[in-house]
């Protein structure tokens, strides 16, 4: 024999299950984000140009209200863009004074985005 359940109890049970699922999704998303951002930091440290400075060593991450940010804590924070895209030297000149780009951020970013999405799909 089947049990009957009132609409109020059914609605309450559905809400309870939705809250549990929502919490599980939040926890899983945070866990995957922490893992992927940690890998991104390690890869950026390995892939960044190393010309005797501290640029490559200064990759880190921080957690804030808007999520996890991977960044370089080097005091010359604009250096990331200059190294990634290349730039012209102060003395000018298009061919002679140009510094070649060392793309290292975008590739890591795209790989980690793909990994993040795949891991979330797998775990959820």
């Amino acid at each position: 024999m089947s049990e009957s359940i009132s609409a109020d109890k059914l609605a309450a049970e559905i809400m309870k299950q939705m809250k549990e699922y929502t919490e599980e999704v939040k926890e899983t998303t945070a866990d995957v984000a922490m893992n992927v951002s940690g890998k991104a930091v390690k890869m950026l440290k390995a892939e960044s140009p190393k010309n005797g400075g501290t640029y490559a060593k200064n990759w880190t991450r921080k957690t804030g209200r808007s999520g996890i940010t991977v960044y370089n804590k080097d005091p010359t924070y604009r250096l990331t863009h200059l190294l990634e895209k290349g730039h012209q030297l102060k003395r000018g000149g298009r061919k002679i004074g140009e510094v070649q780009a060392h793309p290292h951020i975008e590739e890591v970013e795209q790989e980690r985005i793909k990994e993040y999405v795949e891991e979330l799909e797998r775990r959820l």
Side-chain angles (χ1 to χ4, degrees), residues 104-116:
H104 57 286
I105 300 170
E106 187 173 357
E107 183 179 330
V108 171
E109 176 188 20
Q110 295 305 317
E111 289 175 10
R112 294 310 107 210
I113 289 171
K114 183 178 177 185
E115 179 185 356
Y116 177 75

Side-chain angles (χ1 to χ4, degrees), residues 26-94:
K26 284 180 185 177
E27 290 171 11
T28 301
T29 302
D31 185 46
V32 171
M34 286 299 287
N35 290 339
V36 171
S37 64
K39 287 180 185 178
V41 169
K42 286 180 185 175
M43 287 184 73
L44 285 166
K45 285 182 178 185
E47 308 264 333
S48 293
K50 297 167 188 71
N51 288 348
T54 58
Y55 175 77
K57 297 175 189 173
N58 280 331
W59 286 103
T60 189
R61 67 182 174 188
K62 68 178 175 182
T63 306
R65 290 193 310 178
S66 61
I68 299 171
T69 304
V70 175
Y71 68 102
N72 194 299
K73 61 184 177 183
D74 193 294
T76 55
Y77 64 92
R78 293 182 186 100
L79 188 59
T80 55
H81 177 79
L82 296 174
L83 288 171
E84 181 78 7
K85 305 294 183 189
H87 60 93
Q88 194 172 358
L89 290 176
K90 189 189 241 183
R91 65 179 176 254
R94 277 285 177 209

